[in-house]
Amino acid sequence: GDSVTQMEGPVTLSEEAFLTINCTYTATGYPSLFWYVQYPGEGLQLLLKATKADDKGSNKGFEATYRKETTSFHLEKGSVQVSDSAVYFCALRAGTYKYIFGTGTRLKVLA
Amino acid sequence: EAGVVQSPRYKIIEKKQPVAFWCNPISGHNTLYWYRQNLGQGPELLIRYENEEAVDDSQLPKDRFSAERLKGVDSTLKIQPAELGDSAVYLCASSSRRDRWEETQYFGPGTRLLVL
């Protein structure tokens, strides 16, 4: 079945460091791919998305490129801030509106 | 625009008691999802509604869980009786189906349930 695998956390970085959180997927067909962010005590917020191969989603300095050949959608940010500390979820949506989420990666940014 | 509203935010009950969660989706959103998020995990779908019809309830434990979405707007998720393993965060999300490829889910803050 469809699945999402993302790197285990926590990821701890110093402020202004470069961030990469890896995400790979398994799916039949051509899923849409998403990154969500969850701050403590809150629900998930959509961070960015890509709906077809080679699309690049970007928002708030974060970006991710839909790579069909490597079935990946890695999240990157050039310079993280303390306020980016949260849990990040990679997700895919199969054709029938079914969303599959990864287990989440906790990011901790130190001042 | 108001976001997805859920209540209560927190609930502590003893096992075997009933519990209910309420969700008010974003106005105009005809698709509504209920998810369960266990500690340290991603959300897992329990049920999806299109308007008032439950179109995917394959992951809903029907022996103890029930849901309804009367009039295709607000929704209630119930557990009766609750078990220790039901402790989790219950998330509601909604989306508009205007454009299939642009469909985006918006999540509520969730209800954190602790069963003692």
Side-chain angles (χ1 to χ4, degrees):
Chain A
D2 299 342
S3 67
V4 173
T5 302
Q6 56 183 112
M7 63 189 287
E8 287 197 21
V11 173
T12 304
L13 297 172
S14 297
E15 208 165 24
E16 299 183 3
F18 185 88
L19 168 71
T20 299
I21 300 179
N22 290 339
C23 171
T24 58
Y25 67 90
T26 303
T28 53
Y30 303 96
S32 295
L33 301 173
F34 304 82
W35 276 101
Y36 284 84
V37 58
Q38 187 174 35
Y39 298 101
E42 299 184 13
L44 278 71
Q45 300 174 25
L46 179 67
L47 183 58
L48 54 83
K49 67 180 182 182
T51 57
K52 61 182 187 296
D54 299 326
D55 267 3
K56 178 186 281 188
S58 61
N59 186 26
K60 299 181 182 178
F62 291 90
E63 56 183 38
T65 301
Y66 189 146
R67 301 281 187 207
K68 187 167 176 288
E69 64 276 12
T70 54
T71 61
S72 65
F73 193 55
H74 304 321
L75 181 68
E76 296 181 336
K77 186 176 186 183
S79 176
V80 292
Q81 305 299 312
V82 172
S83 57
D84 293 327
S85 297
V87 181
Y88 292 81
F89 292 92
C90 185
L92 68 83
R93 185 183 70 216
T96 54
Y97 288 83
K98 184 154 184 148
Y99 286 77
I100 307 293
F101 289 83
T103 54
T105 302
R106 182 175 299 279
L107 170 65
K108 210 185 241 189
V109 180
L110 304 176
Chain B
E1 178 182 82
V4 176
V5 179
Q6 291 188 247
S7 69
R9 291 295 308 276
Y10 305 92
K11 190 75 178 176
I12 302 174
I13 61 172
E14 294 189 346
K15 64 181 180 182
K16 301 186 182 178
Q17 294 300 304
V19 64
F21 314 123
W22 175 80
C23 172
N24 178 240
I26 292 173
S27 177
H29 281 193
N30 52 344
T31 306
L32 185 145
Y33 306 77
W34 281 105
Y35 289 90
R36 177 168 58 190
Q37 185 180 18
N38 291 314
L39 191 64
Q41 300 294 313
E44 295 178 331
L45 181 70
L46 291 173
I47 189 168
R48 174 169 67 90
Y49 283 92
E50 294 289 344
N51 299 306
E52 64 274 8
E53 182 184 358
V55 295
D56 184 354
D57 63 355
S58 56
Q59 302 302 311
L60 190 72
K62 297 182 185 63
D63 56 335
R64 298 184 299 106
F65 286 65
S66 64
E68 60 182 12
R69 191 183 183 197
L70 300 176
K71 300 182 182 178
V73 182
D74 295 358
S75 178
T76 303
L77 177 69
K78 297 178 182 176
I79 308 175
Q80 182 169 10
E83 296 179 353
L84 296 177
D86 295 330
S87 296
V89 176
Y90 291 82
L91 295 166
C92 179
S94 70
S95 66
S96 172
R97 205 177 171 181
R98 276 194 300 271
D99 183 329
R100 173 179 171 170
W101 299 110
E102 294 301 314
E103 188 251 4
T104 298
Q105 283 186 112
Y106 294 88
F107 283 83
T111 296
R112 188 174 297 273
L113 173 68
L114 180 59
V115 182
L116 302 176

